[in-house]
Amino acid sequence: MSESAAGRVNTSLRVEVFPTRELAEKAVADEISALLRAKPTAVLGLATGNTPVGVYRELIRRCAAREVSFARATFFNLDEFCGLGPADPTTFRAWMRTNFVDLVDVDVRRVHIPDGAGDASARARCALDYERAIGDAGGIDLQLLGIGRNGHIGFNEPGSARDSRTRIVELHPWTREDQASGFGGLAHVPTHAITMGVATILDARRLVVMAFGEKKRELVERTLATKDDPAWPASFVHGHRAARLVVSADAAPR
Ligand code: F6R
């Protein structure tokens, strides 16, 4: 691993470059495992998508080997699509169950995923309840993040404010495009989602932003070159007191 204390903007973000994606994933799994050993009741903020799958795979392996336990932990996911039924296989809820939740020892009563079903007033209530539930759980100890093609974190699309909270958002055309294959075509991708806000994310005690693969290099470079700019929501992580940007060599800034 090589480390550099600063990107192009003045930042306290720790940038860590690993030779391979697997080594980077192990390092993130190490941080989560250490957190759970120190605090078995830790509250983890989780993400879906391609970026965190290897971390989940490693944590599943460690859990099966009894090297780590989620039995007393609490999970809060970043986001969920609107308008899908609870049994719909394309929800992030279903994705989380298949890729992580059902494969570790977490108590499902402590797994929280925002609910995008229901009408507008039900969703608005759900957003408020989600913020309250995070507070009631004592706040998020560690939040995992990936970076979207347009710089989004969670589904905080360009234009999201620093002080935004859990809310309903309209998905950016690129975000919908990137989800199209999972929905059998763009026409079937929901237009709206519910997401933790930027402020909700920044309230987490630690952030781990991950980016792997050549396609993410430009996104990493832009994140390092931009600070506190709603046009590039990932740029808000510079203001966080304990944030790591964990990248594989092929995603590292040149
Ligand atoms: C996922 C999420 C998104 C993704 C981002 C990157 O819950 O909130 O912000 O982290 O779109 O997606 P991948 O990892 O698929 O490249």
Side-chain angles (χ1 to χ4, degrees):
M1 181 196 76
S2 66
E3 249 187 61
S4 76
R8 275 171 263 168
V9 296
N10 178 22
T11 182
S12 52
L13 180 69
R14 224 170 88 200
V15 184
E16 298 171 22
V17 180
F18 289 83
T20 65
R21 174 175 182 156
E22 289 70 28
L23 288 171
E25 290 165 346
K26 282 209 167 66
V28 175
D30 285 347
E31 180 170 2
I32 294 172
S33 305
L35 171 63
L36 285 161
R37 268 194 302 276
K39 183 180 178 186
T41 58
V43 179
L44 301 178
L46 301 178
T48 55
N50 176 51
T51 303
V53 280
V55 173
Y56 296 151
R57 205 176 305 124
E58 177 62 14
L59 289 171
I60 292 162
R61 188 194 66 71
R62 291 182 191 195
C63 188
R66 296 183 184 274
E67 293 165 17
V68 68
S69 172
F70 300 91
R72 296 172 61 202
T74 298
F75 297 170
F76 284 94
N77 260 73
L78 282 167
D79 41 22
E80 178 60 283
F81 296 106
C82 285
L84 304 176
D88 195 310
T90 55
T91 58
F92 280 164
R93 176 175 296 275
W95 190 96
M96 281 306 291
R97 292 198 71 151
T98 309
N99 288 283
F100 192 44
V101 168
D102 287 356
L103 307 174
V104 293
D105 59 351
V106 69
D107 181 338
V108 288
R109 288 171 300 185
R110 283 194 293 274
V111 173
H112 304 273
I113 298 182
D115 187 358
D119 61 15
S121 74
R123 290 172 193 168
R125 213 170 33 248
C126 172
L128 281 176
D129 289 348
Y130 208 64
E131 289 284 333
R132 195 170 312 117
I134 292 172
D136 289 349
I140 292 171
D141 289 300
L142 183 151
Q143 177 68 55
L144 291 183
L145 294 169
I147 309 175
R149 195 155 48 110
N150 57 10
H152 73 206
I153 48 173
F155 277 145
N156 291 285
E157 304 286 35
S160 295
R162 161 70 181 79
D163 62 357
S164 54
R165 290 273 161 196
T166 303
R167 68 201 186 288
I168 306 300
V169 293
E170 182 170 5
L171 295 172
H172 186 276
W174 292 0
T175 304
R176 295 190 63 241
E177 264 173 33
D178 290 345
Q179 296 290 338
S181 63
F183 283 87
L186 185 59
H188 306 293
V189 181
T191 55
H192 290 74
I194 180 166
T195 183
M196 280 186 200
V198 175
T200 322
I201 291 170
L202 295 180
D203 278 350
R205 285 182 272 279
R206 292 190 222 174
L207 299 182
V208 180
V209 189
M210 298 176 287
F212 307 132
E214 181 71 36
K215 278 209 261 179
K216 297 278 177 172
R217 182 194 299 273
E218 215 185 304
L219 312 186
V220 169
E221 288 177 344
R222 182 140 177 214
T223 301
L224 292 176
T226 322
K227 197 171 183 181
D228 295 340
D229 183 357
W232 193 260
S235 69
F236 286 117
V237 302
H238 291 291
H240 194 275
R241 60 194 178 285
R244 291 169 87 185
L245 174 58
V246 175
V247 302
S248 50
D250 52 2
R254 286 191 213 273

